[in-house]
Amino acid sequence: MSYETVLVEVKEGVGVITLNRPKVMNALNQTLTRELGEVIDVLENAEEVGCIIITGGDKVFAAGADINEMKDLTFPQLYMANFPYIQRDCWRAIDEARKPIIAAVAGFALGGGCEMVMACDFIIAGETAKFGQPEVTIGTIPGAGGTQRLTKAVGKAKAMEMCLSGRMMDAAEAERSGLVSRIVPVEELAETAFKTARKIASNSRPVVYMVKESVNMAVDASLRDGLAFERRNFASSFAFEDCKEGMTAFAEKRKPDFKHR
Ligand code: CO8
């Protein structure tokens, strides 16, 4: 797989995608969002891949939409294309992926970059990570979920302040606020994300899908509907051979040999 704006590597059940526009802090242009969407689709369909990582490397995640490309767009163009959901690009691909997607973030994750990491299933942050929705400072507003996902993740007070003022959140504040799952030194970011992804990929894949679907229900559904959904999935998991294998392996004090992974 060879792309202009992203690098891809598959190893030990993990697909690692690295955003690759270093001269412009990985600014998200239409080539990048299209290529990222294509890569996610490829990894989603790759039998050997059980978990996906999106990272920008150890300097920056992404400083947002490519402002130079965006600045001359018109309302009819954005409206007609339903921007940024252009064709089958990364936003749809991330939203629809059944395999877990981890965002590994060092440095700035701003604007569309922040929206991208929030669309992933969880974020592991390097100590240098900075999150923000600075769109207001360039005369626009978040367009790929910033006002919605940030509010759900950190609550109205912080989301409102950040979106209104453009104030960034550092890694420590992001962890305190529940935006990221944990913080690690930048030198350990890639390895930590990889080990976490490899652990996820070693579990039974259909069960991993069920976990992801069930946790996601908690974001939108009522508690009552979410609990019912979880209970049904719990019962359904007993239909998988991997469930029997997992419990039998525990009882026999050995590692499970899952069929589906
Ligand atoms: N677009 C294009 N180029 C950028 C961007 C960007 N978003 N961010 C940085 N760059 C470029 C700079 O122009 C500069 O290029 P050059 O060397 O040719 O001058 C290079 O990257 C390095 O940047 P700086 O010199 O500015 O580096 P600093 O360390 O001084 O500052 C900042 C870093 C704070 C990140 C600063 O670059 C900045 O404020 N960038 C813009 C941040 C921003 O406003 N982001 C929001 C964009 S709007 C948005 O994301 C809307 C999302 C809509 C949906 C998603 C669609 C994909």
Side-chain angles (χ1 to χ4, degrees):
M1 289 182 275
S2 173
Y3 298 91
E4 191 187 316
T5 60
V6 293
L7 305 170
V8 196
E9 189 186 4
V10 174
K11 54 178 179 179
E12 298 175 52
V14 179
V16 183
I17 307 171
T18 306
L19 309 183
N20 188 30
R21 298 190 74 212
K23 287 191 182 139
V24 287
M25 295 194 155
N26 293 334
L28 311 173
N29 65 359
Q30 293 187 30
T31 306
L32 188 150
T33 55
R34 180 178 45 75
E35 289 189 339
L36 180 56
E38 284 171 22
V39 174
I40 292 169
D41 282 346
V42 168
L43 297 178
E44 176 74 0
N45 291 311
E47 187 60 34
E48 71 275 25
V49 173
C51 190
I52 297 167
I53 295 171
I54 304 179
T55 186
D58 58 8
K59 300 220 163 31
V60 63
F61 182 82
D66 189 321
I67 300 169
N68 293 319
E69 184 186 75
M70 202 170 53
K71 67 183 184 2
D72 297 323
L73 291 173
T74 64
F75 169 73
Q77 285 172 324
L78 294 176
Y79 184 75
M80 294 303 286
N82 204 19
F83 188 86
Y85 287 77
I86 314 149
Q87 297 158 9
R88 167 94 202 155
D89 70 5
C90 64
W91 306 104
R92 239 189 271 271
I94 294 172
D95 277 350
E96 291 174 8
R98 299 189 74 196
K99 293 178 184 173
I101 304 183
I102 302 172
V105 180
F108 296 115
L110 301 179
C114 189
E115 293 172 311
M116 182 177 289
V117 300
M118 291 192 294
C120 294
D121 293 305
F122 62 95
I123 302 167
I124 300 179
E127 282 167 343
T128 57
K130 278 192 186 309
F131 303 88
Q133 298 292 160
E135 288 87 342
V136 70
T137 65
I138 57 164
T140 184
I141 77 163
T147 61
Q148 306 302 299
R149 287 203 173 92
L150 189 62
T151 307
K152 285 186 192 269
V154 305
K156 180 181 163 188
K158 279 184 187 286
M160 190 67 95
E161 187 204 343
M162 288 171 68
C163 292
L164 286 175
S165 68
R167 180 177 80 81
M168 294 180 208
M169 204 183 239
D170 65 16
E173 185 181 2
E175 189 187 34
R176 274 200 311 278
S177 313
L179 183 63
V180 309
S181 68
R182 57 183 153 140
I183 307 174
V184 295
V186 173
E187 322 72 82
E188 293 169 22
L189 178 63
E191 184 62 12
T192 305
F194 182 73
K195 281 187 178 157
T196 307
R198 196 176 54 189
K199 177 78 190 115
I200 292 169
S202 75
N203 293 324
S204 168
R205 195 166 303 166
V207 177
V208 164
Y209 288 177
M210 279 187 170
V211 171
K212 174 166 166 166
E213 283 168 6
S214 301
V215 174
N216 278 337
M217 276 296 277
V219 179
D220 291 325
S222 67
L223 181 60
R224 185 191 168 94
D225 289 346
L227 289 171
F229 185 82
E230 179 195 77
R231 199 156 46 239
R232 197 53 49 86
N233 266 347
F234 172 71
S236 303
S237 72
F238 281 63
F240 293 127
E241 285 170 57
D242 283 345
C243 177
K244 298 293 165 238
E245 167 59 13
M247 293 184 191
T248 306
F250 177 82
E252 293 175 354
K253 300 191 187 306
R254 60 173 173 81
K255 282 196 159 184
D257 180 16
F258 292 129
K259 191 169 173 198
H260 296 290
R261 63 179 162 198

